[in-house]
Amino acid sequence: MATEPYQQELAGACVGPNGSAIGMPQLCGDWVWNQVFWLVLALVAIYFVLNRVALPRIAAILAERQGTITGDLAKAEDLKRSAEEAEAAYDKALADARTEARKIADETRAEIRAEVEEAEAKADADIAAKTAESEKQIAEIRASALANVEQVAKETAEALVAALGIDASKAELDAAVDKRIEG
Amino acid sequence: MAETTGEAHGAADAAHGDGGGLVFHPMDQFIVEPLFGDGAVNMLTVTNVTLWMAIAVLCIMALMVLGTSGRGIVPGRVQSVAELAYGFVYKMVEDVSGKDGVKYFPYIMTLFMFIVFSNFLGLIPMAFTTTSHFAVTVVLALAVFIGVTALGFVKHGVKFLELFWVTSAPLALRPVLAVIELISYFVRPVSHSIRLAGNLMAGHAVIKVFAGFAALAAVSPISVLAITAMYGLEVLVAFIQAYVFTILTCVYLKDALHPHH
């Protein structure tokens, strides 16, 4: 213990005359109420600052961030869904177009075949008609040729008879020629 | 001599007239003294306690208020530290005390911020460690003890005493257990406060003792190495003790909110 009164005055019962601590300063009763007072003041100050300003502000920041993140995730989910929808629509359109194209191709093919068949039939008919006509003409030509041969034969026979000096009527001659041709 | 430690108490050391050789004054760093002039330390005297508590309060304000003033969705450096501290304590309260303990989060946050800042500020060379004094930690622990006990009785009335009546034990053992539980309940503030102050005081004193050895040229390199190692340990202790104090507060709060075993 510091014994000299002025030292007691100066530093209290817990600090020796050389300024060094006597025992554990933690057990010095002289300082307790000073520390308690300033501690309570400090705690009250910290509590008010935290409770009134800092903690609500940080809570708001964290909530806002959480909200932003959730909103962004939801937006991304929406975008993903619409992208999937667009892809599905594209696939469907592609499939539709493909079937449509096949249908059109089939139809066109059938149409062309029908046209071709029609044209073939028409051509066949034409050919048949022309053949028939030609045959008729040939028959006619043959018939007229036979008639001409008869005529020529009669005239030749008449001329021959006349040249031979035999008098014979035309009717007798014709009948004789007809009889010969038929014979 | 002791000035080289950085932990030294300037005014006290100046008074050391002792000659050469080893001089240990490991406890001088804990002396409370008036900041302005000499004289007795009264309740309202502005002391080094006032100074370092004020620095702690200002640092907490700088971190938690100025640091978050930008309110950035994408936080800056200081804001992320403030958010980290908030999330750390909030999660601790929620996990340990339960959903209904979140109501008392500002009180626990106050305790944690004060202790963690006092501990770390005390590690600055020449600083005064306010949390190394029992007067401080006892007030903190008693505030928790009285607050939690009052809360238990307000919430549950006489049923709060079921905390001491272990229904899961055989009936014959229950009175014995009740006595043990009661004793351990009242020992809580003692261990709660002494753990914090004791750890810090011991660490700081040990650093100072090692620093005293630095006066001997032969062992000074070892002494400096030892101080470095102890300082690293003390950095851990500064955080861990704040964490332990806070999580014990959460546990006591849980007991008050849910006294049934």
Side-chain angles (χ1 to χ4, degrees):
Chain A
M1 291 290 285
T3 46
E4 290 166 84
Y6 76 91
Q7 283 289 356
Q8 289 272 358
E9 266 289 304
L10 199 68
C14 310
V15 178
N18 60 351
S20 193
I22 301 168
M24 271 172 68
Q26 277 83 357
L27 300 179
C28 180
D30 294 1
W31 301 330
V32 167
W33 294 110
N34 181 268
Q35 296 186 69
V36 170
F37 171 74
W38 292 113
L39 170 67
V40 170
L41 209 62
L43 288 180
V44 168
I46 296 169
Y47 175 75
F48 271 95
V49 168
L50 288 185
N51 197 37
R52 290 283 160 84
V53 187
L55 299 185
R57 185 187 288 174
I58 296 175
I61 292 169
L62 293 179
E64 199 182 344
R65 181 174 311 148
Q66 195 55 48
T68 309
I69 290 170
T70 315
D72 283 358
L73 283 180
K75 207 182 284 168
E77 193 66 31
D78 278 357
L79 287 175
K80 196 183 162 200
R81 197 172 310 122
S82 61
E84 275 167 3
E85 274 167 15
E87 200 194 342
Y90 165 77
D91 282 349
K92 193 169 168 289
L94 198 66
D96 283 357
R98 207 166 273 153
T99 34
E100 185 77 5
R102 193 170 298 134
K103 213 172 97 196
I104 289 169
D106 285 352
E107 271 172 15
T108 313
R109 206 171 289 139
E111 218 167 274
I112 289 168
R113 188 173 298 141
E115 270 174 24
V116 166
E117 275 169 7
E118 199 187 330
E120 268 177 5
K122 204 174 151 213
D124 283 353
D126 278 358
I127 291 164
K130 281 205 174 126
T131 314
E133 204 174 318
S134 305
E135 274 170 4
K136 208 174 117 200
Q137 275 177 357
I138 290 166
E140 268 171 24
I141 290 165
R142 189 177 288 155
S144 72
L146 276 176
N148 287 344
V149 166
E150 215 172 304
Q151 188 69 29
V152 169
K154 280 175 187 168
E155 281 173 7
T156 313
E158 207 176 332
L160 277 173
V161 169
L164 291 172
I166 306 166
D167 194 26
S169 73
K170 199 175 175 341
E172 277 175 330
L173 279 172
D174 284 352
V177 169
D178 281 345
K179 206 178 168 185
R180 276 285 179 155
I181 288 168
E182 276 167 25
Chain B
M1 259 192 285
E3 277 91 341
T4 56
T5 66
E7 289 284 356
H9 211 276
D13 273 4
H16 294 172
D18 321 75
L22 293 176
V23 182
F24 297 108
H25 294 289
M27 305 310 277
D28 285 5
Q29 57 181 323
F30 303 120
I31 290 174
V32 176
E33 58 184 4
L35 218 52
F36 308 108
D38 294 326
V41 174
N42 298 316
M43 186 166 156
L44 300 183
T45 312
V46 178
T47 57
N48 47 357
V49 176
T50 318
L51 173 68
W52 286 99
M53 282 185 183
I55 293 174
V57 171
L58 290 178
C59 287
I60 293 169
M61 285 183 183
L63 174 65
M64 302 302 283
V65 178
L66 293 183
T68 58
S69 57
R71 297 162 194 259
I73 287 290
V74 178
R77 236 177 278 173
V78 183
Q79 193 187 320
S80 5
V81 174
E83 285 174 10
L84 201 70
Y86 180 98
F88 178 70
V89 178
Y90 191 92
K91 196 168 180 307
M92 200 195 307
V93 174
E94 200 176 30
D95 288 354
V96 177
S97 306
K99 282 275 180 200
D100 41 355
V102 168
K103 215 162 74 184
Y104 310 98
F105 164 64
Y107 300 101
I108 295 172
M109 188 70 180
T110 304
L111 286 178
F112 177 76
M113 293 309 282
F114 174 76
I115 295 171
V116 87
F117 268 87
S118 297
N119 289 357
F120 276 109
L121 286 171
L123 283 173
I124 298 171
M126 310 296 290
F128 176 81
T129 317
T130 50
T131 39
S132 67
H133 272 266
F134 297 131
V136 170
T137 58
V138 164
V139 169
L140 294 173
L142 273 182
V144 171
F145 179 75
I146 294 170
V148 153
T149 309
L151 183 69
F153 278 113
V154 167
K155 282 232 157 191
H156 304 282
V158 188
K159 282 196 155 197
F160 179 59
L161 294 174
E162 283 177 11
L163 180 64
F164 308 112
W165 197 249
V166 187
T167 48
S168 55
L171 190 61
L173 274 177
R174 281 180 207 172
V176 184
L177 284 176
V179 173
I180 295 172
E181 288 280 332
L182 201 65
I183 292 171
S184 82
Y185 189 80
F186 281 97
V187 167
R188 274 177 181 183
V190 179
S191 64
H192 205 191
S193 57
I194 289 183
R195 181 183 298 110
L196 175 58
N199 268 289
L200 289 166
M201 179 183 69
H204 286 242
V206 166
I207 289 181
K208 199 65 180 289
V209 169
F210 279 132
F213 278 112
L216 291 181
V219 292
S220 62
I222 300 168
S223 168
V224 169
L225 275 179
I227 291 172
T228 312
M230 274 309 291
Y231 195 92
L233 185 68
E234 283 307 293
V235 170
L236 284 181
V237 166
F239 177 75
I240 289 168
Q241 288 307 319
Y243 173 69
V244 166
F245 193 97
T246 315
I247 206 159
L248 281 175
T249 304
C250 292
V251 170
Y252 299 161
L253 180 62
K254 190 210 79 183
D255 280 349
L257 294 173
H258 316 281
H260 318 287
H261 282 273

